[in-house]
């Protein structure tokens, strides 16, 4: 069955520190992978996506993610976190029916 | 571009009444719209997929008679929660996709907070 796992429910990092949010997927074929960010009480904003090609994907707001097929992972990274990055982050895989399957989400808190 | 709106953003209704939530694609035509439900501190769960002019496809466990979805035009889909009960209180989010192709980006609305008293 297709699934997405985000092992970390909550992460706290200091402002200016680097960030890595983990995402593992289970999918039988080459996946379409996404990272979304959700601010409190808001909808989702797409940070980046991977369809094919270069396994290191650049997104908005200084985020990047690396697709590693051998590890079934698509971890999100940012070299220097800003206080405004505090939010909920969702990893998702799109199945052949065009439906998004979301991970459980990781809540990011940023310490001053 | 690619803006999706939802109305209302918040609604409080009494148990037993029905509530309609609108989802509009403002600057593109959406062949497919999706409705999600999100409980506090949890992920988004897909409720149903709607294609313009056809009946919605509901996910397993979602009551289609309770959550009525109408995708009447290429820019508007509505979700009606009928005979709402407190357990229907949740955050409802819609998304819209311009084409039917796999991998086409979904654009999300800002969500509607439903509280049933």
């Amino acid at each position: 069955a297709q699934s997405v796992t985000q092992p970390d429910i909550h992460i706290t990092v200091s402002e200016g520190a680097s960030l890595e949010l983990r995402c593992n997927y289970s999918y039988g074929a080459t996946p379409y992978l996404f990272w979304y960010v959700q601010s409190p009480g808001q909808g989702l904003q797409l940070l980046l996506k991977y369809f094919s090609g270069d396994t290191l994907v650049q997104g908005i707001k200084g985020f990047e993610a690396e697709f590693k097929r051998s590890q079934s992972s698509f971890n999100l990274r940012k070299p220097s976190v800003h206080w405004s990055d505090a939010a909920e982050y969702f990893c998702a895989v799109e199945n052949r029916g065009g439906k998004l399957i979301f991970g459980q989400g990781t809540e990011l808190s940023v310490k001053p | 571009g690619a803006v999706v709106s939802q109305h209302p953003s918040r609604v409080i209704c009494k148990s037993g009444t029905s509530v309609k939530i609108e989802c509009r694609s403002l600057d593109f035509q959406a062949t497919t719209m999706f409705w999600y439900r999100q409980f506090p501190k949890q992920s988004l769960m897909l409720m149903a997929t709607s294609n313009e002019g056809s009946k919605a496809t509901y996910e397993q466990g979602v009551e289609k008679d309770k959550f009525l979805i109408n995708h009447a035009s290429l820019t508007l889909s509505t979700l009606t929660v009928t005979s709402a009960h407190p357990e229907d209180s949740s955050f409802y989010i819609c998304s819209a996709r311009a084409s039917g192709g796999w991998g086409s980006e979904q654009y999300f609305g800002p969500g509607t907070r439903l509280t049933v008293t």
Side-chain angles (χ1 to χ4, degrees), chain A residues 10-91:
Chain A
H10 189 196
I11 283 183
T12 300
V13 298
S14 297
E15 191 167 16
S18 63
L19 170 71
E20 182 169 29
L21 301 182
R22 296 184 290 166
C23 172
N24 293 98
Y25 67 89
S26 173
Y27 192 71
T30 300
Y32 280 2
L33 294 160
F34 304 81
W35 273 100
Y36 289 89
V37 62
Q38 183 182 34
S39 297
Q42 300 294 315
L44 274 67
Q45 181 181 24
L46 179 66
L47 287 175
L48 47 79
K49 59 188 176 185
Y50 171 78
F51 287 171
S52 65
D54 193 347
T55 57
L56 185 62
V57 180
Q58 301 298 320
I60 63 171
K61 303 184 180 187
F63 285 93
E64 67 178 26
E66 186 170 12
F67 170 61
K68 293 185 177 180
R69 185 188 299 276
S70 61
Q71 298 176 19
S72 297
S73 69
F74 188 56
N75 294 348
L76 181 72
R77 301 194 293 249
K78 186 169 184 177
S80 178
V81 169
H82 188 262
W83 63 266
S84 60
D85 293 324
E88 187 87 19
Y89 291 80
F90 291 97
C91 180

Coordinates of all heavy atoms in Angstrom, one line a residue, chain A residues 10-91:
Chain A
H10 N 7.4 16.5 16.1 CA 7.7 17.9 16.4 C 9.2 18.1 16.5 O 9.9 17.2 17.0 CB 7.1 18.2 17.8 CG 7.2 19.7 18.2 ND1 7.0 20.1 19.5 CD2 7.4 20.8 17.4 CE1 7.1 21.4 19.5 NE2 7.4 21.8 18.3
I11 N 9.7 19.1 15.9 CA 11.1 19.5 15.9 C 11.3 20.9 16.3 O 10.5 21.8 15.9 CB 11.8 19.2 14.5 CG1 12.0 17.7 14.3 CG2 13.1 20.0 14.4 CD1 12.7 17.4 13.0
T12 N 12.3 21.2 17.2 CA 12.6 22.5 17.5 C 14.0 22.8 17.1 O 14.9 22.0 17.5 CB 12.4 22.7 19.1 OG1 11.1 22.5 19.4 CG2 12.8 24.2 19.4
V13 N 14.2 23.9 16.4 CA 15.6 24.3 16.1 C 15.8 25.8 16.4 O 14.8 26.5 16.5 CB 15.9 24.1 14.6 CG1 15.8 22.6 14.2 CG2 15.0 24.9 13.7
S14 N 17.0 26.2 16.6 CA 17.3 27.6 16.9 C 17.4 28.3 15.6 O 17.7 27.8 14.5 CB 18.7 27.7 17.6 OG 18.6 27.0 18.8
E15 N 17.0 29.6 15.7 CA 17.0 30.4 14.5 C 18.4 30.5 14.0 O 19.4 30.7 14.7 CB 16.5 31.8 14.8 CG 16.3 32.7 13.5 CD 15.5 34.0 13.8 OE1 15.4 34.3 15.0 OE2 15.0 34.6 12.9
G16 N 18.6 30.3 12.7 CA 19.9 30.3 12.1 C 20.5 29.0 11.9 O 21.5 28.8 11.2
A17 N 20.0 28.0 12.6 CA 20.5 26.6 12.5 C 20.0 26.0 11.3 O 19.0 26.4 10.7 CB 20.1 25.8 13.8
S18 N 20.6 24.9 10.9 CA 20.1 24.1 9.8 C 19.0 23.2 10.2 O 18.8 22.9 11.3 CB 21.3 23.3 9.2 OG 21.7 22.3 10.1
L19 N 18.3 22.8 9.2 CA 17.1 22.0 9.4 C 17.0 20.8 8.4 O 17.3 21.0 7.2 CB 15.8 22.8 9.2 CG 14.5 22.1 9.1 CD1 14.1 21.7 10.5 CD2 13.4 23.0 8.6
E20 N 16.6 19.7 8.9 CA 16.3 18.5 8.1 C 15.0 17.9 8.6 O 15.0 17.4 9.7 CB 17.4 17.5 8.0 CG 17.1 16.4 7.0 CD 18.3 15.5 6.7 OE1 19.2 15.4 7.5 OE2 18.3 15.0 5.6
L21 N 14.0 17.8 7.8 CA 12.8 17.1 8.1 C 12.7 15.8 7.3 O 12.9 15.8 6.1 CB 11.6 18.0 7.8 CG 11.5 19.3 8.5 CD1 10.2 20.0 8.1 CD2 11.6 19.2 10.0
R22 N 12.5 14.7 8.0 CA 12.5 13.4 7.3 C 11.2 13.0 6.7 O 10.1 13.3 7.3 CB 13.0 12.3 8.3 CG 14.4 12.6 8.8 CD 14.9 11.5 9.7 NE 14.2 11.5 11.0 CZ 14.1 10.4 11.8 NH1 14.8 9.3 11.5 NH2 13.5 10.5 13.0
C23 N 11.3 12.3 5.6 CA 10.1 11.7 4.9 C 10.5 10.4 4.3 O 11.5 10.4 3.5 CB 9.6 12.7 3.9 SG 8.3 12.0 2.9
N24 N 9.8 9.4 4.6 CA 9.9 8.1 3.9 C 8.6 7.7 3.2 O 7.6 7.9 3.8 CB 10.4 7.0 4.9 CG 11.7 7.3 5.4 OD1 11.9 7.8 6.5 ND2 12.8 6.9 4.7
Y25 N 8.7 7.1 2.1 CA 7.5 6.8 1.3 C 7.5 5.3 1.0 O 8.6 4.7 0.9 CB 7.4 7.6 0.1 CG 8.5 7.3 -0.9 CD1 8.3 6.4 -1.9 CD2 9.7 8.0 -0.9 CE1 9.3 6.1 -2.8 CE2 10.7 7.7 -1.8 CZ 10.5 6.8 -2.7 OH 11.5 6.5 -3.6
S26 N 6.4 4.8 0.7 CA 6.2 3.5 0.2 C 5.4 3.5 -1.0 O 4.2 4.0 -1.0 CB 5.5 2.6 1.3 OG 5.2 1.3 0.7
Y27 N 6.0 3.2 -2.2 CA 5.3 3.3 -3.4 C 5.9 2.4 -4.4 O 7.1 2.3 -4.5 CB 5.3 4.8 -3.9 CG 4.4 5.1 -5.1 CD1 3.0 5.2 -4.9 CD2 4.9 5.4 -6.3 CE1 2.2 5.4 -5.9 CE2 4.1 5.7 -7.4 CZ 2.7 5.7 -7.2 OH 1.9 6.0 -8.2
G28 N 5.1 1.7 -5.2 CA 5.6 0.7 -6.1 C 6.4 1.2 -7.3 O 7.2 0.4 -7.9
A29 N 6.1 2.4 -7.7 CA 6.8 2.9 -8.9 C 7.5 4.2 -8.6 O 7.7 4.5 -7.5 CB 5.7 3.1 -10.0
T30 N 8.0 4.8 -9.6 CA 8.7 6.1 -9.4 C 7.7 7.1 -8.9 O 6.6 7.3 -9.5 CB 9.3 6.6 -10.7 OG1 10.2 5.7 -11.2 CG2 10.0 7.9 -10.5
P31 N 7.9 7.6 -7.7 CA 6.9 8.5 -7.1 C 7.0 9.9 -7.6 O 8.0 10.4 -8.0 CB 7.3 8.4 -5.6 CG 8.8 8.2 -5.7 CD 9.1 7.4 -6.9
Y32 N 5.8 10.6 -7.5 CA 5.8 12.0 -7.5 C 5.7 12.5 -6.1 O 4.8 12.0 -5.4 CB 4.6 12.5 -8.3 CG 4.7 12.5 -9.8 CD1 5.8 12.0 -10.4 CD2 3.7 13.0 -10.6 CE1 5.9 12.0 -11.8 CE2 3.8 13.0 -12.0 CZ 4.9 12.5 -12.6 OH 5.0 12.4 -13.9
L33 N 6.7 13.3 -5.6 CA 6.8 13.6 -4.2 C 6.7 15.1 -4.0 O 7.2 15.9 -4.9 CB 8.1 13.1 -3.7 CG 8.3 11.6 -3.6 CD1 9.8 11.2 -3.6 CD2 7.5 11.0 -2.4
F34 N 6.1 15.5 -2.9 CA 5.9 16.9 -2.7 C 6.2 17.2 -1.2 O 6.0 16.3 -0.3 CB 4.4 17.2 -2.9 CG 3.9 16.9 -4.3 CD1 3.5 15.6 -4.6 CD2 3.8 17.9 -5.2 CE1 3.0 15.3 -5.9 CE2 3.3 17.7 -6.5 CZ 2.9 16.4 -6.8
W35 N 6.5 18.4 -0.9 CA 6.6 19.0 0.4 C 5.7 20.2 0.4 O 5.8 21.1 -0.4 CB 8.0 19.4 0.8 CG 8.8 18.3 1.4 CD1 9.7 17.5 0.8 CD2 8.7 17.8 2.8 NE1 10.2 16.6 1.7 CE2 9.6 16.8 2.9 CE3 7.9 18.2 3.9 CZ2 9.8 16.1 4.1 CZ3 8.1 17.6 5.1 CH2 9.1 16.5 5.2
Y36 N 4.8 20.3 1.4 CA 3.9 21.4 1.6 C 4.2 22.0 3.0 O 4.6 21.3 3.9 CB 2.4 21.0 1.5 CG 2.0 20.6 0.2 CD1 2.1 19.3 -0.3 CD2 1.4 21.6 -0.7 CE1 1.6 19.0 -1.6 CE2 0.9 21.3 -1.9 CZ 1.0 20.0 -2.4 OH 0.6 19.6 -3.6
V37 N 3.9 23.3 3.1 CA 3.9 23.9 4.4 C 2.5 24.5 4.8 O 1.8 25.0 3.9 CB 5.0 25.0 4.5 CG1 4.7 26.2 3.5 CG2 5.1 25.6 5.9
Q38 N 2.2 24.4 6.0 CA 0.9 24.9 6.5 C 1.1 25.8 7.7 O 1.5 25.3 8.8 CB -0.1 23.8 6.8 CG -1.5 24.2 7.2 CD -2.4 23.1 7.6 OE1 -2.0 22.1 8.1 NE2 -3.7 23.2 7.2
S39 N 0.7 27.0 7.6 CA 0.7 27.9 8.8 C -0.6 27.7 9.5 O -1.6 27.2 9.0 CB 0.9 29.4 8.3 OG 2.1 29.5 7.7
P40 N -0.6 28.0 10.8 CA -1.8 27.7 11.6 C -3.1 28.3 11.0 O -3.2 29.5 10.6 CB -1.5 28.4 13.0 CG 0.0 28.4 13.0 CD 0.5 28.6 11.6
G41 N -4.1 27.4 10.9 CA -5.4 27.8 10.4 C -5.4 28.2 8.9 O -6.4 28.8 8.4
Q42 N -4.4 27.8 8.2 CA -4.3 28.1 6.8 C -4.3 26.8 5.9 O -4.1 25.7 6.4 CB -3.0 28.9 6.5 CG -2.9 30.2 7.3 CD -3.9 31.2 6.9 OE1 -4.2 31.4 5.7 NE2 -4.6 31.8 7.8
G43 N -4.4 27.1 4.6 CA -4.3 26.0 3.7 C -2.8 25.6 3.5 O -1.9 26.0 4.2
L44 N -2.5 24.8 2.5 CA -1.2 24.3 2.2 C -0.5 25.1 1.1 O -1.2 25.4 0.1 CB -1.2 22.8 1.8 CG -1.2 21.9 3.0 CD1 -2.5 21.9 3.8 CD2 -1.0 20.4 2.5
Q45 N 0.7 25.3 1.2 CA 1.5 26.0 0.2 C 2.6 25.0 -0.3 O 3.3 24.4 0.6 CB 2.2 27.3 0.7 CG 3.0 28.0 -0.3 CD 3.7 29.3 0.2 OE1 3.9 29.4 1.4 NE2 4.0 30.2 -0.7
L46 N 2.7 24.9 -1.6 CA 3.7 23.9 -2.1 C 5.1 24.5 -1.9 O 5.4 25.7 -2.4 CB 3.5 23.7 -3.6 CG 4.4 22.7 -4.3 CD1 4.3 21.3 -3.7 CD2 4.2 22.7 -5.8
L47 N 6.0 23.8 -1.3 CA 7.4 24.2 -1.2 C 8.3 23.7 -2.4 O 9.1 24.5 -2.9 CB 8.0 23.6 0.1 CG 7.6 24.3 1.4 CD1 8.2 23.5 2.6 CD2 8.0 25.7 1.5
L48 N 8.1 22.5 -2.8 CA 8.8 21.9 -3.9 C 8.2 20.5 -4.2 O 7.4 20.0 -3.5 CB 10.3 21.7 -3.5 CG 10.7 21.1 -2.2 CD1 10.6 19.6 -2.2 CD2 12.1 21.5 -1.8
K49 N 8.7 20.0 -5.4 CA 8.2 18.8 -5.8 C 9.2 18.0 -6.6 O 10.1 18.7 -7.2 CB 6.9 18.9 -6.7 CG 7.1 19.8 -7.9 CD 5.8 20.1 -8.6 CE 6.1 21.1 -9.8 NZ 4.8 21.5 -10.4
Y50 N 9.1 16.7 -6.7 CA 10.1 15.9 -7.4 C 9.2 15.0 -8.4 O 8.3 14.3 -7.9 CB 10.9 15.0 -6.6 CG 11.7 14.0 -7.3 CD1 12.9 14.4 -8.0 CD2 11.3 12.7 -7.4 CE1 13.6 13.5 -8.8 CE2 12.0 11.8 -8.2 CZ 13.1 12.2 -8.9 OH 13.8 11.3 -9.6
F51 N 9.6 15.1 -9.6 CA 8.9 14.2 -10.6 C 9.9 13.3 -11.2 O 9.7 12.1 -11.3 CB 8.2 15.0 -11.7 CG 7.0 15.7 -11.3 CD1 6.3 16.6 -12.1 CD2 6.4 15.5 -10.1 CE1 5.2 17.3 -11.7 CE2 5.2 16.1 -9.7 CZ 4.6 17.0 -10.5
S52 N 11.0 13.8 -11.7 CA 12.1 13.0 -12.3 C 13.3 13.9 -12.4 O 13.3 15.1 -12.1 CB 11.6 12.5 -13.6 OG 11.4 13.6 -14.5
G53 N 14.4 13.3 -12.9 CA 15.6 14.1 -13.2 C 16.5 14.2 -12.0 O 16.6 13.3 -11.2
D54 N 17.0 15.4 -11.8 CA 17.9 15.7 -10.7 C 17.3 15.4 -9.4 O 16.2 15.9 -9.1 CB 18.3 17.2 -10.8 CG 19.5 17.5 -9.9 OD1 19.9 16.7 -9.1 OD2 20.1 18.6 -10.1
T55 N 18.0 14.6 -8.6 CA 17.4 14.2 -7.4 C 17.4 15.2 -6.3 O 16.8 15.1 -5.2 CB 18.1 12.9 -6.9 OG1 19.5 13.2 -6.7 CG2 17.9 11.8 -7.8
L56 N 18.2 16.3 -6.5 CA 18.2 17.4 -5.5 C 17.3 18.5 -6.1 O 17.6 19.1 -7.2 CB 19.6 17.9 -5.3 CG 19.8 19.0 -4.3 CD1 19.4 18.5 -2.9 CD2 21.2 19.5 -4.2
V57 N 16.2 18.8 -5.4 CA 15.2 19.7 -5.9 C 15.2 21.0 -5.1 O 15.3 21.0 -3.8 CB 13.8 19.1 -5.8 CG1 12.8 20.0 -6.3 CG2 13.8 17.7 -6.5
Q58 N 15.2 22.1 -5.8 CA 15.2 23.4 -5.1 C 13.8 23.9 -5.0 O 13.0 23.7 -6.0 CB 16.1 24.4 -5.8 CG 17.5 24.0 -6.0 CD 18.2 23.9 -4.6 OE1 18.0 24.7 -3.7 NE2 19.0 22.8 -4.5
G59 N 13.4 24.5 -3.9 CA 12.1 25.0 -3.8 C 12.1 26.5 -3.4 O 13.1 27.2 -3.5
I60 N 10.9 26.9 -2.9 CA 10.8 28.3 -2.5 C 11.3 28.5 -1.1 O 11.5 27.5 -0.3 CB 9.3 28.8 -2.6 CG1 8.4 28.0 -1.6 CG2 8.8 28.7 -4.0 CD1 7.0 28.5 -1.5
K61 N 11.5 29.7 -0.7 CA 11.9 30.1 0.7 C 13.2 29.4 1.1 O 13.4 29.2 2.3 CB 10.8 29.7 1.7 CG 9.4 30.3 1.4 CD 8.4 30.0 2.5 CE 7.1 30.6 2.2 NZ 6.1 30.5 3.3
G62 N 14.0 29.1 0.2 CA 15.4 28.5 0.5 C 15.4 27.1 0.9 O 16.4 26.5 1.3
F63 N 14.3 26.4 0.7 CA 14.2 24.9 1.0 C 14.7 24.1 -0.2 O 14.6 24.5 -1.4 CB 12.8 24.5 1.3 CG 12.3 25.0 2.6 CD1 11.6 26.2 2.8 CD2 12.6 24.2 3.8 CE1 11.2 26.6 4.1 CE2 12.1 24.6 5.0 CZ 11.5 25.8 5.2
E64 N 15.2 22.9 0.1 CA 15.6 21.9 -0.9 C 15.3 20.6 -0.3 O 15.1 20.4 0.9 CB 17.1 22.0 -1.3 CG 18.0 21.6 -0.1 CD 19.5 21.7 -0.6 OE1 19.8 22.4 -1.5 OE2 20.3 20.9 0.1
A65 N 15.2 19.6 -1.2 CA 14.9 18.2 -0.8 C 15.7 17.3 -1.7 O 15.9 17.6 -2.9 CB 13.4 17.9 -0.9
E66 N 16.0 16.2 -1.2 CA 16.8 15.2 -2.0 C 16.1 13.9 -2.0 O 15.7 13.3 -1.0 CB 18.2 15.0 -1.4 CG 19.1 14.1 -2.2 CD 20.5 14.1 -1.8 OE1 20.8 14.5 -0.7 OE2 21.3 13.5 -2.6
F67 N 15.8 13.4 -3.2 CA 15.2 12.1 -3.4 C 16.2 11.0 -3.4 O 17.2 11.1 -4.2 CB 14.5 12.1 -4.8 CG 13.9 10.8 -5.2 CD1 13.0 10.1 -4.5 CD2 14.4 10.2 -6.4 CE1 12.5 8.9 -4.9 CE2 13.9 9.0 -6.8 CZ 13.0 8.3 -6.1
K68 N 16.1 10.1 -2.6 CA 17.0 8.9 -2.5 C 16.2 7.7 -2.7 O 15.5 7.2 -1.7 CB 17.8 8.9 -1.2 CG 18.7 10.1 -1.0 CD 19.5 9.9 0.2 CE 20.6 11.1 0.3 NZ 21.4 11.0 1.6
R69 N 16.2 7.1 -3.9 CA 15.4 5.9 -4.2 C 15.8 4.8 -3.3 O 15.0 4.0 -2.8 CB 15.6 5.6 -5.6 CG 14.7 4.4 -6.1 CD 15.0 4.0 -7.5 NE 14.8 5.0 -8.4 CZ 13.7 5.3 -9.0 NH1 12.6 4.6 -8.7 NH2 13.6 6.3 -9.9
S70 N 17.1 4.6 -3.1 CA 17.6 3.4 -2.3 C 17.1 3.5 -0.9 O 17.0 2.4 -0.2 CB 19.1 3.4 -2.3 OG 19.7 4.6 -1.7
Q71 N 16.8 4.6 -0.4 CA 16.3 4.8 1.0 C 14.9 5.1 1.1 O 14.3 5.3 2.2 CB 17.1 5.9 1.7 CG 18.6 5.6 1.8 CD 19.4 6.7 2.5 OE1 18.9 7.5 3.2 NE2 20.7 6.7 2.3
S72 N 14.2 5.2 -0.1 CA 12.8 5.6 -0.1 C 12.6 6.8 0.7 O 11.6 6.9 1.5 CB 11.9 4.4 0.4 OG 12.0 3.3 -0.5
S73 N 13.4 7.8 0.5 CA 13.3 9.0 1.3 C 13.3 10.3 0.5 O 13.8 10.3 -0.7 CB 14.5 9.1 2.3 OG 15.7 9.4 1.6
F74 N 12.8 11.3 1.0 CA 12.6 12.6 0.4 C 12.7 13.6 1.5 O 11.7 14.3 1.8 CB 11.3 12.7 -0.4 CG 11.2 13.9 -1.3 CD1 12.2 14.2 -2.3 CD2 10.1 14.7 -1.2 CE1 12.1 15.3 -3.1 CE2 10.0 15.8 -2.1 CZ 11.0 16.1 -3.0
N75 N 13.9 13.8 2.0 CA 14.1 14.7 3.2 C 14.2 16.2 2.8 O 14.8 16.5 1.8 CB 15.3 14.3 4.0 CG 15.1 12.9 4.6 OD1 14.1 12.4 4.7 ND2 16.3 12.4 5.1
L76 N 13.6 17.0 3.6 CA 13.5 18.4 3.3 C 14.6 19.1 4.1 O 14.8 18.8 5.3 CB 12.2 19.0 3.7 CG 11.9 20.5 3.5 CD1 11.8 20.8 2.0 CD2 10.7 21.0 4.2
R77 N 15.3 20.1 3.5 CA 16.4 20.7 4.2 C 16.4 22.2 4.0 O 15.9 22.7 3.0 CB 17.8 20.2 3.8 CG 18.0 18.7 3.9 CD 19.4 18.3 3.8 NE 19.9 18.5 2.4 CZ 20.2 17.5 1.6 NH1 20.0 16.2 2.0 NH2 20.6 17.7 0.4
K78 N 17.0 22.9 5.0 CA 17.2 24.3 4.8 C 18.4 24.7 5.6 O 18.6 24.3 6.8 CB 16.0 25.1 5.3 CG 16.1 26.6 5.1 CD 14.8 27.4 5.4 CE 15.0 28.9 5.0 NZ 13.7 29.6 5.1
P79 N 19.4 25.4 5.0 CA 20.6 25.6 5.7 C 20.5 26.6 6.9 O 21.3 26.4 7.9 CB 21.5 26.3 4.6 CG 20.6 26.6 3.5 CD 19.3 25.9 3.6
S80 N 19.6 27.5 6.9 CA 19.5 28.5 8.0 C 18.0 28.8 8.2 O 17.4 29.5 7.4 CB 20.3 29.7 7.6 OG 20.2 30.7 8.7
V81 N 17.5 28.4 9.3 CA 16.1 28.6 9.6 C 15.8 30.0 10.1 O 16.5 30.5 10.9 CB 15.6 27.5 10.6 CG1 14.2 27.8 11.1 CG2 15.7 26.1 10.0
H82 N 14.7 30.5 9.7 CA 14.2 31.8 10.1 C 13.0 31.6 11.0 O 12.3 30.6 10.9 CB 13.8 32.6 8.9 CG 13.5 34.1 9.1 ND1 12.2 34.5 9.3 CD2 14.3 35.1 9.4 CE1 12.2 35.8 9.5 NE2 13.5 36.2 9.6
W83 N 12.7 32.6 11.9 CA 11.6 32.4 12.8 C 10.2 32.2 12.0 O 9.3 31.5 12.5 CB 11.4 33.6 13.7 CG 11.1 34.9 13.0 CD1 12.0 35.8 12.6 CD2 9.8 35.4 12.7 NE1 11.4 36.9 12.0 CE2 10.1 36.6 12.0 CE3 8.5 34.9 12.8 CZ2 9.0 37.4 11.5 CZ3 7.5 35.7 12.3 CH2 7.7 36.9 11.7
S84 N 10.2 32.8 10.8 CA 8.9 32.7 10.1 C 8.7 31.3 9.4 O 7.7 31.0 8.9 CB 8.9 33.7 8.9 OG 10.0 33.5 8.1
D85 N 9.7 30.4 9.6 CA 9.6 29.1 9.1 C 8.8 28.2 10.0 O 8.4 27.0 9.7 CB 11.0 28.4 8.8 CG 11.7 29.1 7.7 OD1 11.1 29.5 6.7 OD2 13.0 29.2 7.8
A86 N 8.5 28.7 11.2 CA 7.7 27.9 12.2 C 6.4 27.6 11.6 O 5.6 28.5 11.2 CB 7.6 28.6 13.5
A87 N 6.0 26.3 11.4 CA 4.8 25.9 10.8 C 4.7 24.4 10.8 O 5.6 23.7 11.4 CB 4.8 26.4 9.3
E88 N 3.7 23.9 10.1 CA 3.6 22.4 10.0 C 4.0 22.0 8.6 O 3.6 22.7 7.6 CB 2.1 22.0 10.2 CG 1.8 20.5 10.2 CD 2.0 19.9 11.6 OE1 2.0 20.7 12.6 OE2 2.2 18.7 11.7
Y89 N 4.8 21.0 8.5 CA 5.3 20.6 7.2 C 4.8 19.2 6.8 O 4.8 18.3 7.7 CB 6.8 20.6 7.2 CG 7.4 22.0 7.3 CD1 7.4 22.7 8.5 CD2 7.8 22.7 6.1 CE1 7.9 24.0 8.5 CE2 8.3 24.0 6.2 CZ 8.3 24.6 7.4 OH 8.8 25.9 7.4
F90 N 4.3 19.1 5.6 CA 3.7 17.8 5.2 C 4.5 17.3 3.9 O 4.6 18.0 3.0 CB 2.2 17.9 4.8 CG 1.4 18.2 6.0 CD1 1.0 19.4 6.4 CD2 0.9 17.1 6.8 CE1 0.1 19.7 7.5 CE2 0.1 17.3 7.9 CZ -0.3 18.6 8.2
C91 N 4.8 16.0 4.0 CA 5.4 15.4 2.8 C 4.2 14.6 2.2 O 3.3 14.1 2.9 CB 6.5 14.4 3.3 SG 7.3 13.5 1.9

